[in-house]
Each structure stands twice: as structure tokens, then as C-alpha cells.
Amino acid sequence: VSTQSTGNWILVHGTEAMSLRYCVPDSRGTRSSTLKSRISSATPLQRATPLHNRILEADQLVMDGEYEQALLPLAKAIFLAPDDSVLYIARAEVYLALCDLGSAILNYKKAVKLESGNEVRDSPGVSLSVAALKLSELQAARAAHLLSSSRFNEAASEAQCALELRPLHAPPRVLLVLALVGAGQSGEALEQIRQLIEAQPRNELYYLLRCRINLNLNKLEEVVDDISRLSRIAPDHPQVQALSKDINSWCDQLCIKSTNAITTGQYEHALTLLSRAVNLCPESAELYHKRGMVHRLAGHLEDSMQQFEVAIDKSGGPMLAPDSARQLRLLHNELGVQYHKWGMYVEAIDKFDAAIRGIEGNSGLDDVVATISVSYTHLTLPTKRIV
């Protein structure tokens, strides 16, 4: 799965929750709400000033749909009142009508700075003004547009700005993830996804996105973990089903990796890999048998016995799982030898009996019985009678 296909997949499925193009409805014949509010609240003294005349002129031009011409009286008004945030908001609205997203963002930034100074940056997401909320929305929209043009670094910067204003808002963070993936910063992208999942642990789209990124990085173990979660959260999701088609192949790869780990004595790592494989294919008796063998090599005899018992059960009985049944009887014998060495004679007899008897319905394992008989000959019998 390529980086580009990862981005395309998530965009197609709408996780970014933003439009790739910011379209402004035709406001011809309507008054700017910002200018209208300023005009209606002006006092008689204010209405006699040149500033008010410039505002009236800009408002009329906006009503007539003459957006470019409205910029001139707004510029004059800002010259007369450079610290008036309302004028910057009004000019931002005009730029939006002209589909000039960059200029609109600059004017909203100026308005937000005049309204709150450094308060927004010091306390992000707290009591944001309408202008600050609009600014965050526009920055996210611009990030989506840059992303669609494969301008990943710029998109990441814009999404980060939107996220600084609204750190708990998911859409800009998803856009940041996509931009980081496109820019080759997969590690940072995965950290952002972790935060998304932490906030919404049952949102399957975040797990799917992480699967796609980890597939890109050939991190099979992490992919398997997320597919296991997705099979519980959203088993019917078409993308989950599509990814699940490769489950058998992934299980085989995990088994190969576990074999390599065994050859180097990394038994715990091998068990971790096999456990992931079991999560993908929980009905595979072979996987439980393999896990039992690793536990035996690691000296975990009780755990090994449990795995062989499950393997026999998954196979439909001892006659259908002769290898697991053989290993189980040998383990009973080994435990019997250990118990005898520890002086636990009653427990040793129970284990030897289980080894000789085996599982009900399982017969014909003469080699196992022979092995057990040899074990008996090497034992030093106790001098006192066992009751």
C-alpha cells in the first residue's frame, strides 16, 4: 500500500470530515452580518464620522455583489481604525466571497489576535470567539485543499495551526495525520492517531488508518493487533473485511518469524508472535500446538500442557491430533519425573498414570509408552512406602 493510496483511501471514506474545497455560497443581495451589526449599533456621533461612511460604502458594495470593489472602502476603514477586529472580520468575509482562502485566513488571524492577544495560544480551545472558531475551520479547509494537491508539508503546518486553536477537535488532527504520512513522517502520524484513538477508542476508521500506515511500514505485528480489535469493533465494515482477506498470509508470516525467534532462543518473543497469530485465527489447532511446543522449550510445562489440550479440542479429539496427544503424554511424564525428584510421590504417580493412560480414546502410541517406561527405570524408588 503506497503513501498516496493511504491518503486517497482515508479521503474517500470521509474521515477528515472536511471538504477538499471551501465553497462559499453566493451572498449577492445580502448584507454582511458583521457590517450590518456595526451599522445598526452605531451612535449618532459615530454615524457622522468618515469611518462610518466607509463601512456603509463597503456594506452597499457587498449587497450588490461587488466584492472586489468592497475591499477598497474596507481598507480605508481599517486605516482609520487599525485595532478594530470587526473590520478585519468583515474583510475576511469578503475574501471568502472571492474564494481567496489565504487572505481570509490572514484577516481572521489579525482579528483573533486583536480580540484575545495571546490568550488563545496560552489556553487553546477555551472560550473561543466566533472569529477564532471560523479561523480554525478555514485553516482545516485549507489544509485539506493543500493535501489534495500533494503539498504535504504546507498542509501539515496549516492543520497544526487549526489544531492549536481546537486541540480536542478530531478533523484537523486527521488532516495532520494524512499530511504527515504524505511528508514521510509516519512516526509522528502514528502518535497523532494514538491521540485520536485515546479520545475515541471505538472509532474503527482510526484503526483502519493506522493499519494502512503500518502496512506501509511493514509492521505486521501492529497490523495484526489492530485487525484483531477491528474484528470485534466493526466486523462487517467493508474495509475490515478487505484487510481480513490476508489473514492466512499474515498468520504464515508470523509463524515464520516465531520460528526464527525460536532458533535464536527468543522464546518469549516467539510466544508473542504466535499469540498475535492466534488472535487472527483463533480456531487453528496448529497454532496452539506450536505455542505448546514453545512453552515446552521455555520450560513452562503447565502452560505447554494447556496449549496441547486446546489443540486437541480444536482438532476434534486426540485421534485427530496425534502429535498434540503425544506431546501431552510426554509432558505428563516429565512432570511426573520432576515431582518424584521433589519428593512429591503421590503427584508423581498421578502424572505417570496420566502419561500411560493418555486421553480417553487415544491409543496406539507405543513409542510414548516406551519412553515413559525408560523414565521409570532411571528413577530411584523411595525407601518408604507411599500411601
Side-chain angles (χ1 to χ4, degrees):
V1 181
S2 67
T3 298
Q4 187 60 34
S5 64
T6 301
N8 287 342
W9 175 84
I10 199 68
L11 289 175
V12 167
H13 288 82
T15 308
E16 82 289 356
M18 297 295 294
S19 170
L20 288 179
R21 290 183 300 171
Y22 189 88
C23 298
V24 181
D26 185 9
S27 57
R28 190 181 303 274
T30 62
R31 301 180 68 179
S32 166
S33 59
T34 304
L35 293 178
K36 179 181 178 180
S37 175
R38 171 53 64 86
I39 293 170
S40 61
S41 62
T43 64
L45 184 61
Q46 290 172 333
R47 290 173 185 172
T49 62
L51 174 61
H52 187 73
N53 292 334
R54 299 291 80 77
I55 294 174
L56 284 174
E57 182 183 354
D59 181 54
Q60 185 59 51
L61 289 169
V62 169
M63 288 181 62
D64 295 339
E66 301 293 342
Y67 302 116
E68 290 189 10
Q69 287 79 358
L71 290 173
L72 180 58
L74 281 173
K76 292 178 179 179
I78 289 174
F79 177 78
L80 293 171
D83 294 331
D84 192 337
S85 63
V86 172
L87 298 177
Y88 289 97
I89 294 172
R91 188 160 67 173
E93 292 173 351
V94 173
Y95 276 122
L96 281 179
L98 293 170
C99 293
D100 187 346
L101 193 57
S103 297
I105 288 174
L106 289 176
N107 278 272
Y108 272 117
K109 282 184 177 179
K110 182 66 175 178
V112 170
K113 184 176 181 180
L114 289 171
E115 286 179 345
S116 54
N118 294 323
E119 181 181 347
V120 172
R121 189 169 296 275
D122 294 340
S123 303
V126 179
S127 302
L128 292 180
S129 65
V130 173
L133 291 171
K134 188 68 174 180
L135 173 59
S136 176
E137 177 188 343
L138 293 181
Q139 287 173 326
R142 179 166 170 76
H145 177 71
L146 292 168
L147 187 64
S148 69
S149 302
S150 300
R151 297 162 63 181
F152 300 117
N153 289 321
E154 295 173 75
S157 177
E158 206 69 59
Q160 185 64 55
C161 289
L163 199 58
E164 287 177 0
L165 288 171
R166 303 183 69 183
L168 302 180
H169 194 44
R173 193 176 297 279
V174 175
L175 288 168
L176 178 59
V177 169
L178 296 176
L180 290 170
V181 171
Q185 302 178 48
S186 298
E188 178 60 28
L190 289 171
E191 170 58 25
Q192 295 297 328
I193 294 178
R194 185 195 64 77
Q195 295 184 45
L196 286 167
I197 291 175
E198 190 176 82
Q200 298 181 337
R202 296 193 65 81
N203 190 321
E204 68 274 10
L205 292 177
Y206 299 152
Y207 292 103
L208 284 167
L209 178 55
R210 189 162 67 179
C211 278
R212 298 273 173 174
I213 295 174
N214 280 324
L215 278 172
N216 239 6
L217 300 173
N218 292 319
K219 292 185 175 180
L220 180 61
E221 292 87 347
E222 286 78 358
V223 173
V224 168
D225 288 344
D226 279 336
I227 289 295
S228 300
R229 295 185 185 96
L230 285 166
S231 64
R232 298 189 298 270
I233 296 174
D236 298 327
H237 194 287
Q239 289 299 318
V240 175
Q241 294 178 350
L243 287 170
S244 298
K245 290 179 181 178
D246 295 325
I247 280 180
N248 291 332
S249 173
W250 293 340
C251 280
D252 292 341
Q253 292 183 52
L254 287 169
C255 288
I256 292 172
K257 288 186 175 184
S258 69
T259 301
N260 294 335
I262 292 170
T263 57
T264 57
Q266 301 178 58
Y267 300 127
E268 293 302 323
H269 183 50
L271 287 170
T272 299
L273 293 170
L274 287 172
S275 294
R276 287 189 167 110
V278 168
N279 287 338
L280 286 177
C281 305
E283 299 303 317
S284 173
E286 181 183 0
L287 292 175
Y288 290 99
H289 180 86
K290 289 179 182 293
R291 198 156 61 171
M293 293 297 294
V294 179
H295 274 301
R296 185 177 180 184
L297 290 171
H300 311 150
L301 300 188
E302 295 285 356
D303 292 331
S304 180
M305 291 176 66
Q306 182 183 20
Q307 294 301 308
F308 287 128
E309 288 171 354
V310 175
I312 292 169
D313 182 62
K314 297 289 184 183
S315 298
M319 297 300 294
L320 300 177
D323 290 339
S324 296
R326 180 179 185 277
Q327 292 296 329
L328 187 58
R329 296 179 75 175
L330 289 172
L331 281 168
H332 279 299
N333 179 63
E334 288 183 29
L335 281 172
V337 173
Q338 283 193 4
Y339 287 148
H340 184 274
K341 289 181 179 179
W342 297 337
M344 301 169 63
Y345 302 120
V346 174
E347 290 82 356
I349 290 174
D350 287 340
K351 289 300 178 183
F352 287 135
D353 284 344
I356 295 172
R357 183 175 64 254
I359 301 175
E360 185 178 355
N362 185 28
S363 60
L365 298 175
D366 295 335
D367 56 335
V368 177
V369 176
T371 301
I372 296 169
S373 298
V374 171
S375 297
Y376 271 118
T377 62
H378 288 85
L379 293 177
T380 302
L381 296 177
T383 55
K384 63 178 183 178
R385 184 178 179 183
I386 301 175
V387 180

